[in-house]
Amino acid sequence: MSGPGAERIVVVGHGPAAHRLVERLAHHGHRGEVTVLGAEASAAYHRPLLTSVLDGSLAAGALRLPAPPDGTRLRPGVTATAVDRRRRLVQGSDGHGYPYDRLVLATGAAPLVPPLPWARRADGRLAPGVRVLRTLPQCEQLTGPDPVAVVGGGPLAIEAALALRRRGRDVTLVHRGPYPLDRHLEARAGQLLSARLRALDVDLCTGRTAEAYRSGKLRLDDGRWVAAGDVLLCTGVVPRTGLARSAGLAVRTGVVVDDELRTTDPRIHALGDCAQPAGATGPHLGHAAAWEQAEVLAALLSGSPARWTGTHAVLRLRAREVDLMRLGTPDGAEETVVLSDAARGRYARLSLRDGRVSGAVLLGPGRAVATVTRLYRRGEPVPADRLALLLGAPIDYAGERLPDEAPVCHCNNVTGADLTAAWCAGARTVPELAAATRATTGCGGCADDVRSWCAARARGEESG
């Protein structure tokens, strides 16, 4: 077996988390052989931006991630079928065995299809007209002109509904809860979100479930029939844990990992949507968490000490028409500040502990979203004028160096260092920075921050 930093690594999965891990292994100087088994035949792509392909604002090719570092053994279209822990060997669907010193499971998650009798055929496949959204080919199935019903009330359901409206399709959003995002928002914020969606011509059916689907119509439990050439199920995801279970690893909802992202076999790690940190109630922590896990694991596998201590809880809609962010938790707040402006569709609830943001819900004021997120992630004290903050007091980066590790674009996890590198390579305008880094190409909520950063950088060079 090779020593630390030079071990043979096999990565099962080639989504954004796995891609980031392989990239960071090279950055940290890992010297061993790295093999990646990717179930999809296509190159790795940025899955969080699928709704930008759905609405036509991005071509499918724009989501493609850079090629892996030189020397990476990439095996697209190859699924791992078994793990022999004793021999340290992964069996591939191509008939080959892949030996490892360290194995990383990045198998991701699959769309959760609820037990609705009309959603599946007798052979278990989705019924005609019933869709899910997890891959680029699934985006292509939703390009027709017919009305569509989106079933679900989470972030993806809202983002998909708005993307389909931008595409010109009539959309009905069916959710069994009292309002979309009811697991994340208090009633007042939920009511304002519902009003905003209706103003955007989304037919919102809350407190309803779907009972039947046939002939291009979806029947709700109140007897109403909704026109739906397609029914898109956005009802959650389930971690892909079959490989881990068959290998005898501990699995709850996801593959159980410790603070070094090790499973119950210390030579096997897991990260991303398939992993469940010990003590967590669920595995799905979002794209930002997977990104942070990849950084930690790359350092560890390259011989550097590192621990994953958890991530800041952040939920942000990737929809340009609705700027909404939920951060942290209100638990243990010493001070709560609420702004409710129904006439302008704005709502903000700020939970503070020791003068710092411990939780927040913000709907509407885009600049306030950016400012509060920055304060939360950096643990900085909140300005004394709370109202000005929630109303969107402008950020001024002049005279301030944005920390290299600070995320600017949360959709694409673009940091200050990424912007600086692109600037030094010749990207001097917001469109050029967007093309080089993908910043601003997600929900668009970071556009003002990138514009301010760009202006401050230009001023700094002029004065220097």
Side-chain angles (χ1 to χ4, degrees), residues 8-376:
R8 294 171 301 176
I9 297 174
V10 173
V11 182
V12 178
H14 197 211
H19 181 275
R20 178 66 171 178
L21 171 67
V22 173
E23 177 186 84
R24 299 308 289 172
L25 283 169
H27 172 82
H28 286 286
H30 181 268
R31 303 182 304 281
E33 183 179 86
V34 178
T35 302
V36 181
L37 308 183
E40 292 189 61
S42 63
Y45 54 89
H46 193 55
R47 202 180 307 275
L49 293 183
L50 282 176
T51 51
S52 295
V53 175
L54 192 61
D55 71 7
S57 61
L58 287 180
L63 271 61
R64 187 176 297 117
L65 294 169
D70 291 343
T72 305
R73 299 176 63 209
L74 183 58
R75 299 293 182 266
V78 175
T79 302
T81 58
V83 176
D84 186 332
R85 291 167 54 191
R86 184 182 62 82
R87 296 169 60 202
R88 293 181 191 151
L89 188 74
V90 178
Q91 187 63 44
S93 59
D94 58 355
H96 290 94
Y98 296 90
Y100 67 86
D101 297 317
R102 299 278 182 173
L103 172 62
V104 179
L105 303 178
T107 49
L112 174 63
V113 178
L116 301 168
W118 52 267
R120 292 191 184 275
R121 305 192 306 187
D123 61 5
R125 290 187 294 173
L126 291 177
V130 177
R131 315 291 187 192
V132 292
L133 184 59
R134 189 73 181 173
T135 66
L136 278 171
Q138 289 164 352
C139 276
E140 296 170 359
Q141 296 174 350
L142 286 159
T143 56
D146 295 334
V148 58
V150 179
V151 177
L156 180 60
I158 298 170
E159 292 166 8
L162 291 173
L164 290 163
R165 279 298 302 135
R166 289 193 292 273
R167 196 90 186 204
R169 299 183 71 173
D170 292 334
V171 178
T172 301
L173 181 62
V174 180
H175 179 46
R176 63 185 178 183
Y179 49 82
L181 293 180
D182 55 301
R183 294 176 55 190
H184 304 281
L185 303 179
E186 52 266 37
R188 186 61 183 142
Q191 292 162 3
L192 289 174
L193 174 60
S194 297
R196 180 64 178 149
L197 292 173
R198 290 190 173 102
L200 293 167
D201 291 328
V202 174
D203 185 5
L204 193 58
C205 298
T206 54
R208 302 268 69 91
T209 58
E211 290 193 335
Y213 178 56
R214 61 176 179 268
S215 303
K217 294 182 180 180
L218 184 70
R219 191 184 74 208
L220 307 185
D221 58 353
D222 60 356
R224 175 184 173 187
W225 286 92
V226 173
D230 292 305
V231 176
L232 176 59
L233 299 178
C234 297
T235 46
V237 296
V238 57
R240 298 184 186 273
T241 59
L243 187 66
R245 286 184 187 276
S246 63
L249 303 176
V251 175
R252 294 203 294 268
T253 306
V255 184
V256 178
V257 296
D258 63 11
D259 62 357
E260 292 187 4
L261 300 167
R262 294 176 300 189
T263 67
T264 43
D265 182 330
R267 296 208 168 272
I268 303 179
H269 303 257
L271 81 163
D273 286 345
C274 72
Q276 181 171 1
T281 56
H284 189 60
L285 299 175
H287 179 66
W291 207 265
E292 293 172 11
Q293 289 174 343
E295 177 65 37
V296 168
L297 187 53
L300 282 167
L301 296 181
S302 302
S304 300
R307 293 290 186 276
W308 191 69
T309 57
T311 187
H312 294 298
V314 176
L315 180 152
R316 185 164 192 177
L317 285 184
R318 294 179 178 89
R320 64 179 69 102
E321 305 94 336
V322 181
D323 210 339
L324 186 147
M325 176 80 83
R326 181 184 183 275
L327 308 167
T329 171
D331 298 343
E334 298 167 349
E335 179 185 352
T336 300
V337 184
V338 178
L339 167 68
S340 183
D341 183 0
R344 294 175 176 81
R346 299 189 299 182
Y347 177 88
R349 183 183 184 92
L350 201 61
S351 301
L352 305 178
R353 190 183 307 130
D354 296 326
R356 292 167 169 79
V357 178
S358 61
V361 173
L362 300 111
L363 172 62
R367 189 176 288 278
V369 169
T371 307
V372 172
T373 301
R374 176 167 161 258
L375 293 171
Y376 172 69

Side-chain angles (χ1 to χ4, degrees), residues 376-392:
Y376 172 69
R377 285 188 174 274
R378 294 170 61 177
E380 295 179 343
V382 172
D385 192 341
R386 316 292 205 230
L387 180 59
L389 171 66
L390 295 182
L391 288 174

Side-chain angles (χ1 to χ4, degrees), residues 365-420:
R367 189 176 288 278
V369 169
T371 307
V372 172
T373 301
R374 176 167 161 258
L375 293 171
Y376 172 69
R377 285 188 174 274
R378 294 170 61 177
E380 295 179 343
V382 172
D385 192 341
R386 316 292 205 230
L387 180 59
L389 171 66
L390 295 182
L391 288 174
I395 306 171
D396 184 7
Y397 287 114
E400 174 188 297
R401 178 178 173 272
L402 187 66
D404 287 346
E405 73 280 3
V408 180
C409 174
H410 297 283
C411 294
N412 296 301
N413 212 66
V414 180
T415 65
D418 296 325
L419 291 179
T420 298

